Amino acid sequence: ISICRDLPNIEVITFSVNGISDLEPLNQCQNLSELYLRKNNIASLNELFYLKNLPRLRVLWLSENPCCGSDPHRYRMTVLRNLPSLQKLDNQAVTEEELSQALVDGEEITAPPARRNVENGCPESSTAESTTETESELLNFSLEETNKIREELGMKPLPRDKFSSFSPRETDCNRKKRNNVLNAILLLMKELDTEGLEIVQQTVGRRLQASRKKELQED
């Protein structure tokens, strides 16, 4: 997610199922209008502090994060009190009545959260909840993002069986890092013009040729 510091003009960010816990890099994305963060490791609603000064943010999907807690009403009211410009939260439209109620029931966030001791975006420990489901979602998400990149480069999509090396044998942290890299590449692709895309296409073509040549030599 740190790549977002270098993408101030990005408008839509999808980082669902990504092990993200820190939203600070997003506070520079002044053109951000849609943000998808479902199923991450966001522990505190104080992370909303970094989104409060994003004037164009209209869509936020934050459900299935630890910060949502056990009281859905309090969670929704707190989000809407701090982000009153939202038109949709967790795929549900925001009403004028909710915005008024949020001023009463929501908690005002005035400071960023205390930082956790997390290195390289990978928590020292993680819960075992829904491990199999999470691995599958990470694999599907990575495959989808990879094929989007390949499509933009004029390449054929990868079938799932050719993508199996991304899955369960790797550590959870490595999967998340790889997924973050794929997301970063996709975000950067959106910033490139035709000339930039052609350079990327040529570079990828050379890398693929070298990789295929190496595979043939190994066989």
Side-chain angles (χ1 to χ4, degrees):
I1 193 173
S2 60
I3 189 68
C4 294
R5 294 191 181 98
D6 300 321
L7 299 171
N9 296 319
I10 196 72
E11 296 181 9
V12 179
I13 294 177
T14 300
F15 275 145
S16 296
V17 197
N18 235 304
I20 290 170
S21 59
D22 176 10
L23 300 186
E24 184 273 333
L26 299 177
N27 67 0
Q28 303 297 322
C29 301
Q30 292 294 299
N31 288 331
L32 187 63
S33 61
E34 298 181 27
L35 178 59
Y36 301 92
L37 294 168
R38 185 179 65 88
K39 281 196 175 184
N40 278 287
N41 295 330
I42 301 168
S44 170
L45 284 176
N46 281 30
E47 294 289 343
L48 296 175
F49 178 83
Y50 299 116
L51 307 181
K52 293 182 69 170
N53 294 319
L54 303 182
R56 300 185 179 182
L57 187 62
R58 296 293 180 268
V59 176
L60 175 64
W61 200 328
L62 193 61
S63 64
E64 299 177 86
N65 275 277
C67 65
C68 300
S70 57
D71 186 343
H73 177 75
R74 178 184 175 279
Y75 153 71
R76 190 171 177 87
M77 291 297 98
T78 296
V79 174
L80 294 181
R81 176 165 182 172
N82 291 277
L83 303 175
S85 295
L86 287 181
Q87 297 175 355
K88 185 175 286 189
L89 172 60
D90 297 339
N91 207 33
Q92 182 178 340
V94 175
T95 66
E96 291 295 332
E97 290 79 5
E98 283 184 308
L99 291 175
S100 298
Q101 191 64 37
L103 296 174
V104 178
D105 295 346
E107 179 183 344
E108 179 73 17
I109 294 172
T110 59
R115 281 287 150 243
R116 278 79 58 197
N117 183 23
V118 176
E119 183 178 357
N120 296 327
C122 295
E124 293 178 1
S125 61
S126 59
T127 63
E129 180 181 0
S130 303
T131 301
T132 303
E133 177 187 357
T134 301
E135 287 178 349
S136 177
E137 288 193 18
L138 282 169
L139 177 58
N140 291 334
F141 190 76
S142 298
L143 178 58
E144 179 183 352
E145 295 298 305
T146 299
N147 281 336
K148 284 181 182 178
I149 296 169
R150 293 175 67 88
E151 181 181 357
E152 292 186 31
L153 292 173
M155 300 160 61
K156 293 182 179 179
L158 282 174
R160 185 182 175 89
D161 61 342
K162 297 294 185 182
F163 203 74
S164 58
S165 60
F166 280 79
S167 94
R169 289 188 299 274
E170 294 181 314
T171 65
D172 187 56
C173 185
N174 285 339
R175 284 197 304 273
K176 289 172 182 175
K177 285 181 180 179
R178 191 187 296 271
N179 204 27
N180 286 337
V181 170
L182 290 171
N183 276 299
I185 292 171
L186 189 62
L187 289 172
L188 289 170
M189 294 281 290
K190 294 177 181 178
E191 298 288 312
L192 295 177
D193 56 14
T194 302
E195 181 180 0
L197 289 171
E198 288 175 349
I199 293 172
V200 172
Q201 185 176 24
Q202 293 168 6
T203 302
V204 171
R206 289 194 295 269
R207 289 287 301 275
L208 281 172
Q209 288 178 357
S211 178
R212 287 167 182 162
K213 184 177 180 180
K214 183 178 179 181
E215 289 176 356
L216 288 173
Q217 290 174 346
E218 290 176 351
D219 291 342

